[in-house]
């Protein structure tokens, strides 16, 4: 009964958003009520504790709101100045093919931003940028959220590993015993986890650009075919390798701070010049149908055309995004000193309502603050008048008000769920009850399910870092019980926690708000279940093989099936698309 009750909040979210297709504002409100009732009656969590957890959630929601507002404001300033037209032209000059554009913008530029900012912020930048290029809003947010996978483990300069995993494992007897037996310090173990995570991500994330292309053509192409997207596989795999190779090398030799930053930057430096020269470009060009033929559900209030066209140079048009990337990097590298200065002003609530629930934030370190500062600077650089700047703020304000209606119930639900361990019944929190039940069910096959537990934590908490904090020690303990290498199991936890960001509700709400798609969250999550399921199943199978070796076992079978299906679909795409073109 406890296991059923503990999974009910998650099931209610899927039911209301994915099955019923309700808006997040309505579906999450009902899910919040259900979660509170379970916490109160099932876990005997007091009213004060529920209120404190909800307050923490509201404060977190406000931080997410700042990120969304900043990202949308920057886009609106660029629209008012006319820079959007120049940006669109810069990508069209690389390739008019929408599959190629999606991969370059989301996979390469987006992963770089993830390495710098984290917090789900890259999706709020990439989504509006894709709209500026002429993508349907629904397609833009779907593609933008798919980038929240491989690079997430190293988001905000390695926070999910350096803070998430480390906080969960430090000063724990079972961990110390293992480390003593290996003659290893915890810092070395964390470094090795960071390296191993990158290897798993490299093998699975390699295929995410291909998924982006296939999902784009399946749901937004005239032929409604996955195969049309797979036709671009040489370029997609090349772009995947251009990121994951430097990404993995960085993680294993330099540490967890910069893999996504360096991977994205090196990937852009390699792929963009070669793409301009036609390297591995598809022979056919994929384009959306004319806007008047688009399904109404694809379209938001955000228009792709600038309101006040001006002749903005390529450098000036891209300068705001360059500034965003630079400021995010320099404010997060401790050695530069700016990090300490900006972090010195923090707001902390150490004991909300006397419950022990705490929350703190540093306003100047929120990525949204960088977006707002750059947006204001852009107005000056692009010589935007006060009327245009005022319009940008006004439109952005309306957007964030719509988003906050959903965030203000979504994030408190998460906090009640996570903090349900603070109760008078002596029960573990709901996530831990679920995790223990899964461990008992799977036993020695645990590597297969380990990434899914990480994803569950990220789906609930909206954060890879929090998921690692919540389940890192639990995963280490399960590895100890089944005599598996804890390094591999904890790494699979971190990989799953990254993949879960594709469908976590507050990331979806934030990214949807940034492209003006409030109310479509359930539709978006339903589509993203496809790449999320692939990521978790494939990563789990690879982890199983890593521990048990290649042989006649379930892990090897799953890995072979996945690879055979991918190769088979790619081969089939040539014949299928050829027939369509002949017709």
């Amino acid at each position: 009964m406890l296991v059923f009750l503990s999974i009910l909040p998650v099931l209610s979210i899927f039911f209301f958003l994915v099955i019923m297709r309700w808006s997040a504002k309505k579906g999450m409100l009902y899910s919040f009520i259900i979660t509170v009732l379970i916490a109160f009656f099932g876990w005997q969590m007091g009213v004060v504790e529920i209120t404190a957890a909800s307050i923490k959630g509201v404060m977190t929601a406000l931080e997410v709101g700042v990120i969304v507002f900043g990202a949308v404001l920057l886009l609106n300033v660029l629209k008012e100045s006319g820079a959007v037209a120049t940006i669109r032209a810069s990508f069209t000059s690389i390739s008019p093919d929408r599959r190629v554009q999606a991969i370059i913008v989301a996979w390469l530029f987006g992963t770089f931003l993830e390495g710098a900012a984290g917090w789900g912020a890259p999706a709020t930048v990439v989504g509006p940028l894709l709209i500026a290029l002429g993508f349907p809003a629904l397609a833009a947010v779907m593609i933008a959220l798919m980038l929240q996978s491989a690079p997430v483990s190293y988001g905000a300069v390695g926070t999910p590993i350096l803070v998430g995993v480390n906080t969960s494992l430090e000063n724990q007897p079972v961990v110390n015993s293992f480390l003593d037996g290996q003659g290893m310090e915890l810092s070395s173990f964390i470094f090795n986890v960071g390296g191993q995570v990158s290897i798993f991500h490299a093998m699975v994330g390699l295929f995410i650009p291909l998924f982006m292309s296939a999902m784009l053509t399946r749901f937004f192409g005239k032929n409604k075919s996955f195969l049309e997207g797979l036709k671009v596989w040489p370029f997609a795999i090349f772009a995947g390798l251009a990121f994951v190779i430097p990404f993995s090398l960085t993680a294993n030799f330099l540490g967890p701070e910069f893999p996504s930053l360096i991977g994205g930057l090196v990937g852009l430096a390699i792929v963009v010049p070669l793409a301009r020269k036609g390297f591995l470009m598809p022979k056919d060009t994929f384009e959306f149908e004319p806007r008047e033929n688009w399904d109404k559900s694809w379209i938001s209030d955000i228009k792709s055309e600038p309101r006040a066209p001006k002749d903005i140079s390529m450098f000036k048009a891209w300068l705001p995004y360059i500034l965003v990337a630079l400021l995010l990097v320099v404010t997060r590298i401790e050695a530069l000193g700016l990090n300490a200065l900006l972090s010195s002003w923090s707001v902390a609530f150490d004991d909300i309502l006397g419950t022990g629930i705490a929350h703190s934030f540093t306003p100047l370190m929120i990525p949204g603050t960088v977006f707002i500062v750059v947006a204001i600077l852009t107005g000056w650089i692009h010589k935007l008048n006060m009327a245009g700047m005022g319009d940008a703020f006004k439109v952005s304000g309306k957007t964030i008000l719509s988003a906050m209606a959903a965030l203000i119930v979504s994030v408190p639900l998460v906090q009640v769920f996570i903090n349900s361990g603070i109760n008078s019944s002596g029960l573990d929190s709901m996530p831990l009850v679920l995790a223990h039940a899964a461990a008992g069910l799977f036993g020695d096959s645990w590597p297969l399910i380990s990434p899914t537990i990480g994803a569950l934590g990220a789906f609930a908490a909206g954060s890879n870092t929090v998921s690692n904090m919540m389940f890192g020690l639990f995963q280490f303990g399960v590895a100890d019980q089944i005599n598996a290498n804890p390094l591999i199991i904890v790494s699979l936890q971190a990989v799953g926690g990254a993949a879960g960001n594709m469908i976590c509700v507050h990331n979806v709400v934030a990214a949807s708000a940034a492209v003006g798609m409030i109310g479509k969250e359930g539709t978006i999550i339903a589509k993203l279940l496809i790449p999320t399921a692939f990521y978790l199943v494939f990563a789990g199978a690879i982890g199983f093989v890593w521990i048990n070796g290649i042989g006649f076992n379930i892990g090897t079978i799953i890995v072979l099936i996945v690879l055979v299906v991918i190769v088979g679909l790619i081969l089939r795409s040539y014949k299928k698309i050829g027939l369509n073109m002949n017709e």
Side-chain angles (χ1 to χ4, degrees), residues 100 234-235 238-239 270-282:
V100 173
F235 177 77
F238 169 63
I270 292 172
V271 173
V272 171
L274 290 175
R276 286 187 186 279
K277 294 180 179 180
F279 181 69
L280 297 180
M281 288 293 100

Side-chain angles (χ1 to χ4, degrees), residues 307-321:
R307 298 190 187 109
K310 292 180 182 179
D311 185 17
I312 302 291
S313 69
M314 190 74 73
F315 175 74
K316 278 190 175 182
W318 273 105
L319 183 58
Y321 287 114

Side-chain angles (χ1 to χ4, degrees), residues 65 67-73 75-76 79 124 128 300-302 307 391-407 509-518:
I67 295 172
V68 177
F69 175 76
V72 175
L73 177 64
L75 173 71
N76 285 324
K79 285 168 55 184
T124 65
S300 74
D301 294 330
I302 295 179
R307 298 190 187 109
D391 286 345
F393 269 91
K394 183 179 178 180
V395 173
S396 303
K398 288 181 179 179
T399 299
I400 191 55
L401 286 176
S402 298
M404 288 309 299
L407 287 171
V509 171
S512 299
V515 300
M517 293 299 287
I518 292 294

Side-chain angles (χ1 to χ4, degrees), residues 22 138 153 209-210 212 244 259 267 293 316 338 349 422 528 565:
W22 288 0
L138 192 60
S153 288
L210 190 60
M212 287 178 172
V244 301
N293 294 339
K316 278 190 175 182
L338 194 57
F349 300 89
I422 304 174
L528 290 171
V565 168

Side-chain angles (χ1 to χ4, degrees), residues 74 78 81-94 101 104-106 109-110 112-113 125-126 129-130 132-133 268 272 276 312-326 374 378 381-382:
L74 179 57
L78 291 173
S81 73
V84 161
T86 303
I87 290 172
R88 183 191 300 114
S90 71
F91 277 105
T92 303
S93 68
I94 297 174
Q101 292 174 2
I104 291 175
V105 175
F109 182 59
F112 172 77
L113 289 177
V125 175
V126 168
L129 184 52
L130 288 173
L133 295 176
L268 281 169
V272 171
R276 286 187 186 279
I312 302 291
S313 69
M314 190 74 73
F315 175 74
K316 278 190 175 182
W318 273 105
L319 183 58
Y321 287 114
I322 296 171
L323 289 174
V324 164
L326 287 175
V374 171
T378 300
I381 293 169
H382 289 185

Side-chain angles (χ1 to χ4, degrees), residues 108 238-239 241-244 246 261-273:
L108 297 175
F238 169 63
L241 289 170
F243 170 78
V244 301
L261 275 169
I262 293 176
L265 192 61
V266 172
L268 281 169
I270 292 172
V271 173
V272 171

